[in-house]
């Protein structure tokens, strides 16, 4: 209904309709999400990934950054360094050996962000975690599009699936869910990407969500939310050999 921005500090105000009155029900932040609801979310993602698939017009919107462009910002660099520090100090007993012993997490992150910015690009939500997910009549709706990006669809997919599903559910169903997503996106006009190409890209994107949520302070998100996300992301990083996938890029 209304919006305003303070140009001096970037603070902004939005006045929306009463979303609860409109029927939205928020998914519990921290999760996990059921496999059925995860399937619905990926079907929803396909509806915004497909129309913008490999669309050169996206590059005309200079405010719509790629992940690589956002990674060059000082705030992102700070989060990456802090996330690595927190993982090695606070999560040392739960971090897989591949992560604990790695001396290239920093460079791996920026390699990943470069790959997530390469063509074919599409429109990304950028922050599709469960705290931004609402359900209307059982159908998913994502809010909080303030870090919207143009880039590799696998970044949205990895961020959502690796942190939202129960670890055993992800291991059992992630390929099936991704195949369903790809079939729907292709049907909607979102390219002719092979599953092997999508899977390879998906495996290489998991470091983003892990470091962001490891670095998220308590005043922004409580540890009851960030902790489960980091736990699931660490398991996925190990299962998918994400660092190995990044090193082959």
């Amino acid at each position: 209904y209304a919006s305003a921005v303070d140009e001096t500090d970037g603070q902004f105000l939005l006045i929306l309709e009463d979303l609860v009155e409109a029927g939205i029900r928020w998914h519990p932040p921290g999760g996990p999400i059921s496999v059925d609801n995860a399937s619905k979310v990926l079907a929803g993602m396909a509806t915004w990934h497909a129309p913008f698939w490999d669309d050169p017009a996206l590059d005309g919107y200079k405010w719509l950054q790629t992940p690589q462009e956002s990674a060059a910002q000082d705030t992102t660099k700070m989060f990456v360094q802090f996330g690595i520090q927190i993982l090695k100090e606070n999560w040392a007993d739960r971090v897989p050996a591949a992560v604990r012993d790695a001396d290239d997490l920093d460079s791996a992150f920026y390699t990943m962000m470069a790959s997530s910015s390469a063509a074919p690009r599409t429109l990304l939500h950028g922050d599709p975690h469960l705290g931004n997910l609402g359900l209307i009549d059982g159908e998913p709706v994502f809010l909080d599009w303030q870090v919207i990006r143009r880039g590799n669809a696998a970044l949205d997919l990895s961020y959502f699936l690796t942190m939202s599903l129960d670890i055993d559910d992800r291991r059992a169903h992630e390929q099936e869910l991704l195949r369903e997503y790809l079939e729907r996106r292709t049907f909607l006009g979102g390219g002719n990407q092979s599953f092997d190409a999508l899977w390879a890209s998906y495996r290489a994107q998991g470091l983003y969500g892990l470091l962001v949520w490891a670095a998220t302070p308590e005043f922004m998100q409580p540890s009851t939310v960030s902790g489960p996300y980091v736990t699931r992301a660490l398991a996925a990083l190990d299962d998918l050999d994400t660092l190995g996938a990044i090193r082959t890029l």
Side-chain angles (χ1 to χ4, degrees):
Y1 292 100
S3 63
V5 178
D6 185 337
E7 299 290 351
T8 63
D9 62 7
Q11 296 294 309
F12 63 91
L13 170 71
L14 295 174
I15 300 178
L16 307 174
E17 65 179 310
D18 186 331
L19 297 175
V20 174
E21 183 69 22
I24 197 165
R25 296 294 179 266
W26 302 108
H27 194 284
I33 194 170
S34 70
V35 174
D36 285 346
N37 279 338
S39 177
K40 292 178 181 178
V41 169
L42 294 198
M45 283 188 180
T47 66
W48 77 68
H49 288 164
F52 297 97
W53 187 260
D54 208 18
D55 185 349
L58 284 177
D59 293 333
Y61 301 109
K62 297 307 179 184
W63 56 269
L64 193 60
Q65 294 183 328
T66 65
Q68 187 174 26
E69 289 168 341
S70 67
Q73 296 176 345
D74 290 341
T75 302
T76 305
K77 292 178 180 178
M78 178 190 69
F79 259 77
V80 170
Q81 291 301 320
F82 189 51
I84 293 172
Q85 178 184 341
I86 290 297
L87 282 178
K88 295 196 172 184
E89 291 180 0
N90 297 1
W91 291 79
D93 59 334
R94 288 163 285 180
V95 170
V99 178
R100 185 180 61 249
D101 299 337
D103 58 6
D104 62 345
L105 287 182
D106 184 282
S107 62
F109 176 84
Y110 294 104
T111 298
M112 179 202 69
M113 293 298 265
S115 76
S116 66
S117 304
R121 288 185 285 270
T122 189
L123 187 71
L124 306 180
H125 181 284
D127 193 22
H129 67 85
L130 293 176
N132 288 334
L133 175 64
L135 300 170
I136 297 181
D137 297 328
E139 295 301 314
V141 177
F142 271 108
L143 280 78
D144 190 3
W145 290 72
Q146 65 178 333
V147 291
I148 188 172
R149 298 283 184 260
R150 69 186 201 280
N152 189 323
L155 190 64
D156 270 351
L157 297 168
S158 170
Y159 190 99
F160 173 72
L161 284 179
T162 61
M163 295 195 298
S164 302
L165 282 170
D166 172 82
I167 293 170
D168 288 338
D169 282 345
R170 176 189 53 75
R171 288 168 175 162
H173 297 285
E174 67 187 329
Q175 289 205 24
E176 169 193 346
L177 289 167
L178 288 169
R179 289 182 188 279
E180 289 176 0
Y181 157 84
L182 183 58
E183 181 178 357
R184 178 166 175 77
R185 196 193 73 203
T186 302
F187 174 77
L188 294 173
N192 291 301
Q193 186 179 32
S194 70
F195 178 78
D196 287 346
L198 176 63
W199 179 247
S201 184
Y202 171 82
R203 289 180 53 230
Q205 302 302 315
L207 202 53
Y208 174 65
L210 172 63
L211 292 183
V212 166
W213 279 94
T216 299
E218 187 78 15
F219 73 86
M220 291 181 66
Q221 292 282 356
S223 56
T224 53
V225 172
S226 62
Y229 289 163
V230 172
T231 298
R232 295 181 199 123
L234 281 170
L237 202 77
D238 200 30
D239 291 341
L240 299 170
D241 187 22
T242 293
L243 292 177
I246 292 172
R247 290 170 184 142
T248 65
L249 293 173

